[in-house]
Amino acid sequence: MTTPRTYRCQRLDDLWQESHLRVFPERWEDVEWSDEFVDILGDAGPAPWHETRFKMVYGSQGISVLAWMQGPEIWAYQTERDSVIFHDNDFEIFLDPDGDGELYLELEINALNTVWDLVLVKSYRKGGPPLDSFDVKGLQTAVLIEGALNLENPSNRGWWALIQIPYRSLLEIAGRMNFPPLPGDEWRINFSRVHWDAAVRDGRYAKIEGRPEHNWVWSPMGEVDMHLPDRWGILRFE
């Protein structure tokens, strides 16, 4: 069994209140980086060859996550809300504020800023259905590309994703929690980056069909399954 990682989340109201299109990445310089992502299996899996990290803050209205996905293969083709975003390279958040393993949030975003947000009544292993009809009320997201989207380009460095989740949307899945959190409160959380092998065709990136995805995560799961909430990491509010 792997040991869950812990991230210490700072309270910075100004990063929440400022327009979401103007807060990254330079405004986040003083916020602590997470540990780099590892293979979902932990030490038993191959080390990722691209860097993935995040920063996180909370304020009076909600939580904000800034994620960095390094690598030249910046591509995305899913354009419809609530489509299966992990068919592209993506960044994912799994959040269970009350830590009961039920009614937890999954949110995925690709480099086109297309979002899939859903709630799991309980984990798939326990028979819990996903609720695609759930929408995070007041969700704000933004993406910044360092390079060229979908195109092979020597300037490609990677992409940033900014995700802001209001507490009012979390009341529906964890109404008995403190919103905003109090210093010392802890939530269960994990983050995943799905990365597919890709080839360049006519100057554009395309997924190589038939190859499995690479699952890089913040807190390793020990098996290829993100839907084990009791193994997620710990978000500790400062």
Side-chain angles (χ1 to χ4, degrees):
M1 183 68 68
T2 59
T3 301
R5 286 176 164 176
T6 297
Y7 182 81
R8 298 188 303 274
C9 191
Q10 299 174 241
R11 178 158 183 162
L12 287 173
D13 280 283
D14 59 336
L15 285 181
W16 170 265
Q17 294 171 349
E18 191 173 352
S19 170
H20 74 287
L21 291 176
R22 297 187 290 113
V23 302
F24 66 105
E26 64 277 357
R27 290 280 285 110
W28 288 68
E29 287 182 357
D30 295 330
V31 180
E32 181 181 1
W33 279 111
S34 71
D35 295 314
E36 289 192 27
F37 283 31
V38 297
D39 188 85
I40 193 170
L41 296 176
D43 292 340
W49 48 93
H50 294 318
E51 178 189 68
T52 312
R53 295 190 292 173
F54 68 87
K55 297 183 176 189
M56 192 167 180
V57 299
Y58 74 110
S60 61
Q61 300 177 57
I63 58 175
S64 300
V65 178
L66 178 71
W68 165 244
M69 280 68 65
Q70 182 267 338
E73 307 98 327
I74 312 169
W75 59 270
Y77 296 102
Q78 304 292 324
T79 59
E80 293 188 15
R81 175 74 177 258
D82 289 342
S83 56
V84 183
I85 301 301
F86 65 76
H87 287 173
D88 292 342
N89 291 344
D90 77 352
F91 181 76
E92 305 177 359
I93 301 174
F94 298 83
L95 181 61
D96 186 15
D98 57 17
D100 64 357
E102 299 180 355
L103 286 178
Y104 61 83
L105 174 68
E106 177 179 353
L107 191 150
E108 305 182 3
I109 185 170
N110 67 9
L112 278 171
N113 197 25
T114 308
V115 169
W116 182 18
D117 52 349
L118 65 155
V119 160
L120 279 294
V121 175
K122 56 183 68 175
S123 67
Y124 290 113
R125 188 171 293 188
K126 293 183 178 180
L131 302 179
D132 279 331
S133 60
F134 179 86
D135 287 329
V136 176
K137 294 179 175 64
L139 176 70
Q140 294 191 87
T141 63
V143 164
L144 175 67
I145 305 296
E146 293 202 14
L149 180 64
N150 294 332
L151 300 176
E152 183 183 30
N153 190 310
S155 68
N156 285 1
R157 292 191 60 247
W159 60 287
W160 300 85
L162 177 70
I163 301 163
Q164 295 189 327
I165 301 174
Y167 299 130
R168 59 190 174 96
S169 66
L170 301 178
L171 284 168
E172 299 180 46
I173 62 175
R176 68 176 184 270
M177 303 296 294
N178 296 317
F179 295 113
L182 300 176
D185 283 356
E186 294 183 349
W187 295 0
R188 298 308 296 265
I189 196 168
N190 212 348
F191 302 85
S192 172
R193 174 184 178 178
V194 172
H195 183 80
W196 297 90
D197 292 330
V200 178
R201 299 170 186 161
D202 299 322
R204 298 178 64 85
Y205 281 106
K207 179 168 61 178
I208 301 175
E209 299 296 338
R211 292 192 185 177
E213 76 276 15
H214 306 282
N215 294 282
W216 300 333
V217 306
W218 169 58
S219 192
M221 300 295 293
E223 59 182 288
V224 185
D225 187 352
M226 288 300 297
H227 292 275
L228 301 171
D230 60 322
R231 301 189 191 181
W232 294 349
I234 297 169
L235 180 64
R236 180 172 297 144
F237 296 93
E238 300 288 293

